[in-house]
């Protein structure tokens, strides 16, 4: 298999997305940023 490029971890996260943290309502998988939290869920 020639001419294959190994993807970096950043590229893989863009493709696969990312797991949202607990209590996150609005998760952006590309930026890996939660812009809205459910405050009743946090301990």
């Amino acid at each position: 298999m020639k001419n294959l490029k190994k993807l970096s971890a950043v590229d893989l996260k863009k493709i696969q997305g990312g797991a949202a943290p607990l209590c996150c309502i609005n998760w952006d998988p590309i930026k890996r940023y939660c812009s809205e939290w459910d405050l009743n869920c946090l301990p």
Side-chain angles (χ1 to χ4, degrees):
M1 298 172 110
K2 290 184 177 180
N3 299 329
L4 292 179
K5 179 178 126 181
K6 184 172 181 179
L7 294 175
S8 68
V10 174
D11 292 333
L12 284 172
K13 286 177 185 173
K14 287 182 182 176
I15 294 169
Q16 296 172 349
L22 238 66
C23 306
C24 180
I25 296 172
N26 193 5
W27 175 250
D28 185 353
I30 295 174
K31 294 180 182 174
R32 298 196 64 178
Y33 175 75
C34 185
S35 60
E36 190 175 347
W37 292 92
D38 181 10
L39 297 178
N40 294 328
C41 175
L42 297 173

